[in-house]
Amino acid sequence: MGSIGDAANKEVNGTASEKKPTVIFVLGGPGSGKGTQCAYIVDHFGYTHLSAGDLLRAEIKSGSENGTMIQNMIKEGKIVPSEVTIKLLQKAIQENGNDKFLIDGFPRNEENRAAFEKVTGIEPKFVLFFDCPEEEMERRLLGRNQGREDDNIETIRKRFKVFLESSLPVIQYYEAKGKVRKIHAAKPIEDVFQEVKAVFSPEADKVEA
């Protein structure tokens, strides 16, 4: 029957292991408006927003050896090793009291995706994909002037190339499983959010079910 063993496992692992958190991957090219829309989703639907980029930048600021390695890779427009980002994401999920998360800007490639599912045992509920033309993303990135060192035209174009080559296979993988919700992201912010709301409202209704 295994009920004694189950009870013991419950004691050892605690309730956190009983119910996996709900995870939604948020993907889109640099400048597609992911961060802005994630802030709206947090306000309206109670998700916790975890930006892979922000977690990596916080690690860089910490001045750790890990941070220096991350900084050098970002400068070169390269993708940071999966295990580094997954450990930062896992830590952030475990330390947060919420049970539903938006993971923004990850997985960046197929290897990231497979490693995340294997390491965490979590498969995303769905993938929110912000589809935006390259010219529009470039215009936004050059205009936002946030002082980020990866916001210059050469690095921006490298990032577009990396996104196309690496992230599209991830989107195609989840598309084949019927898990991609595509958002037309070139429109004004409010119009984009109306489209996002339509994706999340049924989810919100099902939360208590």
Side-chain angles (χ1 to χ4, degrees):
M1 282 167 53
S3 56
I4 294 168
D6 291 346
N9 286 340
K10 212 170 275 190
E11 284 299 315
V12 173
N13 298 329
T15 50
S17 63
E18 298 302 306
K19 188 171 179 279
K20 288 194 175 81
T22 297
V23 165
I24 290 165
F25 288 149
V26 182
L27 294 177
S32 60
K34 299 189 308 292
T36 303
Q37 294 299 324
C38 283
Y40 277 55
I41 295 163
V42 167
D43 286 348
H44 282 74
F45 299 105
Y47 279 75
T48 293
H49 175 211
L50 298 178
S51 160
D54 287 351
L55 290 171
L56 291 167
R57 280 187 282 277
E59 190 70 15
I60 290 168
K61 270 189 185 161
S62 75
S64 68
E65 195 179 319
N66 211 16
T68 306
M69 179 269 292
I70 293 166
Q71 186 172 33
N72 291 336
M73 294 198 81
I74 288 174
K75 260 187 199 165
E76 290 167 31
K78 289 181 182 168
I79 286 178
V80 175
S82 296
E83 62 273 15
V84 173
T85 311
I86 291 167
K87 276 177 190 162
L88 293 174
L89 287 167
Q90 233 183 344
K91 185 167 178 269
I93 287 171
Q94 286 161 358
E95 289 174 357
N96 191 292
N98 203 351
D99 66 348
K100 47 186 194 173
F101 297 89
L102 300 170
I103 296 185
D104 166 11
F106 186 92
R108 300 285 294 274
N109 57 28
E110 263 294 287
E111 193 258 335
N112 274 182
R113 178 200 64 72
F116 181 86
E117 288 188 12
K118 188 180 174 190
V119 171
T120 64
I122 298 167
E123 198 176 310
K125 189 162 194 172
F126 61 82
V127 175
L128 197 62
F129 171 43
F130 288 93
D131 193 16
C132 194
E134 204 169 297
E135 327 62 272
E136 174 62 17
M137 292 193 286
E138 192 174 295
R139 189 186 65 75
R140 289 176 183 179
L141 288 173
L142 291 171
R144 73 182 180 186
N145 194 24
Q146 287 180 354
R148 275 171 49 179
E149 63 181 67
D150 54 346
D151 279 353
N152 63 67
I153 194 75
E154 262 179 53
T155 311
I156 284 168
R157 286 187 178 153
K158 259 190 216 166
R159 286 166 71 205
F160 286 150
K161 191 168 181 285
V162 167
F163 173 73
L164 282 171
E165 288 172 359
S166 307
S167 298
L168 284 180
V170 175
I171 291 156
Q172 285 158 354
Y173 172 86
Y174 286 119
E175 213 156 27
K177 300 184 99 178
K179 286 194 166 201
V180 173
R181 309 288 181 269
K182 190 188 278 192
I183 303 293
H184 301 287
K187 297 180 290 189
I189 290 170
E190 282 300 333
D191 294 352
V192 174
F193 187 58
Q194 288 309 312
E195 223 180 297
V196 169
K197 263 205 312 208
V199 169
F200 277 85
S201 294
E203 299 300 324
D205 294 340
K206 287 177 201 162
V207 168
E208 299 305 323

